[in-house]
């Protein structure tokens, strides 16, 4: 224990003596946390610029445009005389979508025909295009329903009969876990821990590479009295302590200050973040053992960390991926954190009910001890002491 403590003290001096460590372990994760949570502080994007091409120009179509402008996400930013002008405005980035009302729409509506309206959305901006497409489609359906209701009332139908015809089945929606459909809750609770795990892997690989690059292996092992196990444990424990302070600050900000849904409680989520940090450290040591050049090890850690955002199931469901990708998703610590977060924080299950995912992060944390012989060779030793 005396040798282990010496290694921890040595590592803490290194971490506190080099600004790059403090920036990567504390500054960058917290700045990232503030950036994303303030960027999406309103929950959903609103007042997205939308264009209108009203070729009919009647009171009915003007009312339709006003109803469209009343939606939270949409804001009519321009009225254009032709489709060509609206398309050019969308290509310039002035608007994300435009709504086309052809000439004669009101007349066809009065005659009981089915007028066609068109809407175009720029799905290069996925969220903006999807939200505006939803609003334009909804206002079109509401306008069609209002016209049919007026016709039914004119024929003597009551309000109840008209609504039974227009909406035979009423849908009562109850979103689970994120009832307000807040994009901040949906994205930040997984994106920020994923960024933290990425910084953990980069710092771990970098710190091991610097020992080799600048000849610090002898002093590092001397502090551990020749034991590679104690040397590696002291280095990782010192970094874990700093990263856990950052993780506690992120958890307190998300689940305390911002009051994001967390049925499991703050201590459970801090423990889950500890498992994520330990798992990311273990994976980074494996990368360094396999690629003992600091640049290569950090590149592998960066690639693995970035891919985890796509394969963890946060933005696209894993069950809908190719079977090969479904299997690969479990090789990313963020995937197991995401499942722990969903089960514990959102669904309110106890941690014991999600033990396989916690155990998987524990396996990632134990990986360095399985590659000690390889790591010993990388550090220029032919044997190591337990």
């Amino acid at each position: 224990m005396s040798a282990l403590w010496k290694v921890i003290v040595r590592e803490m001096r290194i971490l506190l003596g080099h600004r790059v460590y403090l920036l990567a372990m504390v500054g960058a994760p917290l700045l990232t946390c503030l950036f994303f949570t303030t960027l999406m502080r309103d929950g959903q994007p609103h007042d997205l610029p939308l264009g209108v091409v009203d070729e009919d120009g009647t009171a009915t179509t003007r009312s339709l445009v006003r109803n469209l402008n009343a939606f939270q996400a949409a804001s009519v930013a321009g009225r254009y005389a032709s489709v060509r002008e609206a398309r050019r405005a969308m290509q310039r980035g002035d608007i994300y979508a435009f709504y086309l009302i052809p000439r004669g729409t009101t007349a066809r509506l009065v005659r009981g025909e089915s007028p066609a309206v068109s809407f175009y959305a720029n799905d290069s901006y996925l969220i903006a295009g999807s939200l505006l497409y939803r609003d334009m489609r909804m206002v079109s359906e509401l306008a069609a329903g209002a016209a049919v209701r007026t016709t039914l009332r004119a024929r003597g139908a009551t309000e109840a009969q008209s609504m039974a015809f227009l909406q035979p089945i009423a849908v009562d929606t109850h979103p689970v876990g994120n009832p307000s459909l807040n994009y901040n809750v949906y994205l930040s609770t997984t994106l920020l821990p994923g960024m933290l795990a990425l910084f953990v892997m980069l710092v771990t690989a970098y710190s091991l590479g610097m020992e080799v690059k600048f000849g610090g292996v002898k002093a590092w092992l001397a502090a551990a009295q020749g034991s590679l196990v104690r040397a590696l444990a002291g280095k990782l424990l010192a970094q874990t302590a700093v990263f856990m302070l950052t993780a506690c600050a992120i958890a307190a900000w998300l689940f305390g200050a911002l009051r994001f849904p967390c049925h499991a409680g703050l201590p459970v989520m801090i423990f889950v973040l500890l498992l994520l940090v330990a798992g990311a450290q273990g994976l980074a040591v494996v990368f360094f053992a396999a690629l003992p050049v600091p640049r290569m090890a950090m590149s592998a850690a960066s690639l693995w960390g970035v891919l985890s955002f796509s394969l963890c199931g946060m933005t696209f469901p894993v069950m809908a991926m190719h079977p090969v990708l479904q299997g690969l998703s479990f090789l990313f610590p963020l995937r197991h954190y995401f499942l722990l977060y969903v089960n514990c924080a959102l669904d309110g299950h106890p941690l014991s009910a999600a033990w396989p995912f916690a155990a998987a992060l524990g396996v990632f944390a134990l990986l360095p001890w399985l590659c000690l012989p390889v790591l010993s060779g990388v550090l220029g030793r032919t044997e190591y002491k337990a």
Side-chain angles (χ1 to χ4, degrees):
M1 294 301 296
S2 175
L4 179 62
W5 179 251
K6 288 181 180 179
V7 177
I8 293 176
V9 171
R10 174 183 180 270
E11 295 303 321
M12 292 301 297
R13 289 175 178 171
I14 293 176
L15 297 180
L16 297 177
H18 295 76
R19 287 177 292 181
V20 64
Y21 285 110
L22 294 178
L23 177 63
M25 301 174 75
V26 180
L30 294 183
L31 288 176
T32 303
C33 178
L34 292 176
F35 172 76
F36 281 107
T37 52
T38 53
L39 179 68
M40 298 180 286
R41 63 183 181 275
D42 295 327
Q44 286 192 7
H46 58 85
D47 294 336
L48 298 171
L50 170 76
V52 173
V53 181
D54 187 1
E55 296 179 346
D56 205 23
T58 63
T60 301
T61 58
R62 287 194 294 270
S63 176
L64 186 65
V65 173
R66 285 195 299 269
N67 291 335
L68 178 60
N69 195 36
F71 283 96
Q72 179 183 2
S75 175
V76 178
R79 299 172 185 265
Y80 303 95
S82 64
V83 174
R84 177 178 296 180
E85 292 182 11
R87 178 175 58 83
R88 289 177 177 173
M90 190 164 63
Q91 290 174 338
R92 290 194 305 267
D94 297 339
I95 56 176
Y96 292 115
F98 66 89
Y99 192 72
L100 171 62
I101 305 176
R103 192 180 308 277
T105 298
T106 304
R108 294 188 184 94
L109 198 61
V110 171
R111 291 196 300 265
E113 298 177 2
S114 299
V117 296
S118 303
F119 33 90
Y120 302 83
N122 187 356
D123 278 342
S124 298
Y125 305 95
L126 182 60
I127 294 179
S130 300
L131 291 176
L132 290 178
Y133 175 84
R134 181 198 64 185
D135 288 350
M136 290 187 293
R137 180 171 180 174
M138 183 177 295
V139 77
S140 302
E141 293 174 349
L142 291 176
V148 174
R149 186 181 66 175
T150 302
T151 303
L152 292 175
R153 294 294 299 274
R155 294 178 179 178
T158 63
E159 182 70 18
Q161 291 172 335
S162 300
M163 293 307 298
F165 177 80
L166 293 173
Q167 192 179 21
I169 299 176
V171 179
D172 190 11
T173 305
H174 297 276
V176 178
N178 186 11
S180 61
L181 300 180
N182 190 325
Y183 276 85
N184 205 358
V185 173
Y186 168 63
L187 292 174
S188 296
T189 47
T190 305
L191 183 63
L192 296 179
M195 294 296 296
L196 178 63
L198 176 60
F199 285 119
V200 169
M201 289 192 290
L202 288 175
V203 169
T204 304
Y206 175 81
S207 63
L208 291 172
M210 293 303 100
E211 297 285 5
V212 176
K213 183 176 181 179
F214 294 108
V217 175
K218 181 179 293 186
W220 178 33
L221 294 176
Q225 297 180 358
S227 172
L228 181 57
V229 173
R230 285 195 291 265
L232 186 59
K235 180 177 287 291
L236 296 182
L237 285 175
Q239 295 178 12
T240 301
V242 179
F243 275 120
M244 277 313 301
L245 293 176
T246 304
C248 289
I250 293 175
W253 176 252
L254 293 179
F255 304 111
L258 298 182
R259 298 186 179 276
F260 286 178
C262 183
H263 298 294
L266 188 59
V268 173
M269 292 312 301
I270 291 177
F271 177 71
V272 171
L273 285 172
L274 172 61
L275 292 177
L276 177 64
V277 169
Q281 285 179 318
L283 194 59
V285 174
V286 173
F287 286 145
F288 179 77
L291 302 167
V293 179
R295 175 173 52 85
M296 297 300 295
M298 294 178 66
S299 298
S302 300
L303 176 62
W304 210 256
V306 171
L307 286 177
S308 64
F309 295 112
S310 300
L311 295 178
C312 72
M314 172 185 66
T315 55
F316 190 83
V318 172
M319 64 183 69
M321 296 179 184
H322 190 276
V324 175
L325 295 179
Q326 292 183 27
L328 287 176
S329 67
F330 291 98
L331 299 180
F332 295 86
L334 188 61
R335 169 62 179 167
H336 303 283
Y337 168 83
F338 176 71
L339 294 174
L340 284 170
Y341 165 71
V342 171
N343 279 273
C344 298
L346 296 185
D347 295 341
H349 298 305
L351 188 60
S352 58
W355 69 266
F357 312 123
L361 291 177
V363 171
F364 278 108
L366 294 176
L367 287 178
W369 317 114
L370 300 179
C371 62
L372 279 177
V374 179
L375 190 60
S376 177
V378 168
L379 298 176
R381 293 170 53 86
T382 57
E383 60 180 5
Y384 64 92
K385 298 180 181 179

